[in-house]
Amino acid sequence: MTRNYELSVSAEFCAAHRLDGYPGNCRHTHGHNWGVTVYVLCTELDDLGMGLDFRAIKTLVKEALGSLDHAFLNDLAPFAAQNPTAENIARHLFEELSRLLASKPDTAAARISKVHVAETPGAGVTYWEAP
């Protein structure tokens, strides 16, 4: 039996965007205080009984959000060919966090399982990939 532990860390960033081609008000430049929750799946615990230190996850999240915070998302390379929708931001963060986690030592038993991005407290999207 595989034991699974799904850890989560939440953070926020502030950024502006516009949705090119959108027929409503969101086609205009506007901003959000984006909420992000990152989920990390661990299948082993260390000698202290942790899958991964929350502090380490928070550091990864801070690094991944650094380029998005207080930015105009449409000007950033990840969104050059696509609108910076909550869906595309969630996928971008999943990929970036997966890359960052894989580059850290002693994280073989951990992987990013999901990323949730909310542009308002009541509207968000969760992105994940099947292992």
Side-chain angles (χ1 to χ4, degrees):
M1 170 175 63
T2 301
R3 294 183 179 179
N4 294 299
Y5 304 88
E6 193 168 48
L7 292 72
S8 64
V9 168
S10 295
E12 292 183 350
F13 71 98
C14 301
H17 72 152
R18 72 170 177 271
L19 301 180
D20 294 329
Y22 185 77
N25 289 343
C26 292
R27 71 180 179 270
H28 303 293
T29 300
H30 62 286
H32 297 283
N33 292 329
W34 301 86
V36 176
T37 303
V38 175
Y39 297 87
V40 178
L41 181 66
C42 298
T43 56
E44 296 176 14
L45 301 182
D46 65 14
D47 293 340
L48 296 173
M50 291 190 223
L52 196 60
D53 189 341
F54 287 120
R55 186 175 296 164
I57 300 169
K58 289 176 184 178
T59 299
L60 293 174
V61 172
K62 184 176 180 178
E63 186 174 347
L65 295 181
S67 65
L68 305 181
D69 192 35
H70 286 79
F72 179 56
L73 300 177
N74 296 70
D75 286 346
L76 302 180
F79 308 108
Q82 61 186 348
N83 273 323
T85 60
E87 292 86 346
N88 287 330
I89 295 166
R91 185 181 66 245
H92 164 70
L93 287 171
F94 181 95
E95 292 168 353
E96 180 66 8
L97 287 159
S98 295
R99 182 189 67 76
L100 289 169
L101 182 62
S103 72
K104 304 297 181 198
D106 303 322
T107 61
R111 70 173 179 84
I112 303 299
S113 55
K114 295 181 278 200
V115 173
H116 180 82
V117 172
E119 60 179 33
T120 66
V125 60
T126 303
Y127 178 85
W128 70 94
E129 296 178 356

